[in-house]
Amino acid sequence: MKSLKIYLVASKGSKTQDEFLNTIEAALKAKVDILQLREKNLNTLEFYNLALKVKKLCDKYDSAFVINDRIDIAMGVNASGVHIGQKDMPLKKARELLGKDKIIGLTINHKHELMHTQGANYLGVGAVFSTPSKKDCSVLGIEGLKEIANLSSLPIVAIGGINENNLSLLKECKIQGIAVIRAIMEANDPYMATLNLRTSFDSMFMGK
């Protein structure tokens, strides 16, 4: 699959639809490798309609597009795939529904969950740092991330409170990408925020 380096988790939140789409387009212009649309508060029709617009932007900038949790939405808009958690549809069933060519990402919070990752394309591992985006998620810390990354044969995307200021703390971890929310979605200049994250990531992890 394509690169996972800069992985944007995007939610509309309190933004208007135009503000939201403008923010993610700015980030996509600076090269987001994969964008996950995560909407917990929209009804199915709202989510579907928004997903269609986001997919159009991802296609325009040649970025992979995955839907958080909702396999029906992913299939409905022909997204690149889905990202599921430990309490969502079983990975095996998700793979049966989506077929072998779609991307499936799986959230991992504890190393014992590595026993059930067959069929996933990558693992989202965290939370590395505490984050308001996932209040109920236990904090793994850098050592926890490092341990899971060393045990897994799948590509690892670190997630949870990561930004340009603390990214250097992860340089000893065997990761293929970083997933961010606020570092881009709440940035004054999402284009430059994305560009700076990519530059920093490349300088720390390329060649490993």
Side-chain angles (χ1 to χ4, degrees):
M1 65 181 287
K2 290 182 178 180
S3 169
L4 292 162
K5 286 193 288 190
I6 304 300
Y7 185 129
L8 175 58
V9 181
S11 301
K12 189 168 85 68
S14 60
K15 295 179 188 294
T16 67
Q17 183 169 279
D18 283 347
E19 287 170 341
F20 174 68
L21 293 173
N22 287 339
T23 297
I24 62 172
E25 182 163 20
L28 288 164
K29 280 180 183 175
K31 187 54 183 160
V32 166
D33 296 287
I34 182 167
L35 187 149
Q36 178 193 139
L37 184 60
R38 182 177 182 264
E39 295 293 349
K40 301 290 187 181
N41 300 315
L42 299 183
N43 65 41
T44 297
L45 183 59
E46 290 169 335
F47 197 166
Y48 171 76
N49 285 331
L50 184 62
L52 283 174
K53 292 180 171 69
V54 175
K55 182 181 187 296
K56 190 174 181 181
L57 288 174
C58 288
D59 288 348
K60 178 179 177 181
Y61 294 100
D62 196 28
S63 294
F65 175 48
V66 298
I67 299 286
N68 180 262
D69 297 350
R70 296 287 301 270
I71 292 173
D72 56 336
I73 301 286
M75 294 174 73
V77 303
N78 193 27
S80 308
V82 295
H83 185 91
I84 55 177
Q86 294 294 320
K87 296 178 182 177
D88 296 317
M89 184 178 289
L91 178 56
K92 185 178 179 182
K93 177 54 69 175
R95 180 56 76 196
E96 282 178 20
L97 288 169
L98 288 170
K100 61 182 175 57
D101 296 327
K102 293 294 187 181
I103 297 168
I104 299 182
L106 179 68
T107 296
I108 294 285
N109 304 118
H110 306 283
K111 64 180 179 181
H112 66 77
E113 293 166 350
L114 287 169
M115 295 169 60
H116 307 289
T117 59
Q118 187 174 359
N121 296 97
Y122 71 88
L123 303 178
V125 179
V128 181
F129 307 107
S130 60
T131 170
S133 303
K134 281 261 188 176
K135 294 184 177 68
D136 59 342
C137 187
S138 59
V139 176
L140 266 177
I142 295 166
E143 290 306 312
L145 169 65
K146 193 181 292 185
E147 183 178 21
I148 289 173
N150 286 336
L151 289 169
S152 174
S153 59
L154 290 170
I156 299 292
V157 177
I159 188 167
I162 298 167
N163 56 49
E164 197 181 342
N165 295 325
N166 59 27
L167 176 57
S168 62
L169 299 175
L170 307 183
K171 63 185 177 182
E172 300 303 321
C173 301
K174 194 178 73 174
I175 60 174
Q176 282 69 49
I178 51 167
V180 299
I181 304 174
R182 290 172 300 139
I184 290 175
M185 296 305 295
E186 295 181 14
N188 291 328
D189 186 338
Y191 176 87
M192 284 308 302
T194 305
L195 210 58
N196 290 340
L197 281 167
R198 173 170 287 279
T199 301
S200 297
F201 187 92
D202 283 347
S203 68
M204 289 174 211
F205 296 98
M206 290 304 285
K208 280 196 170 187

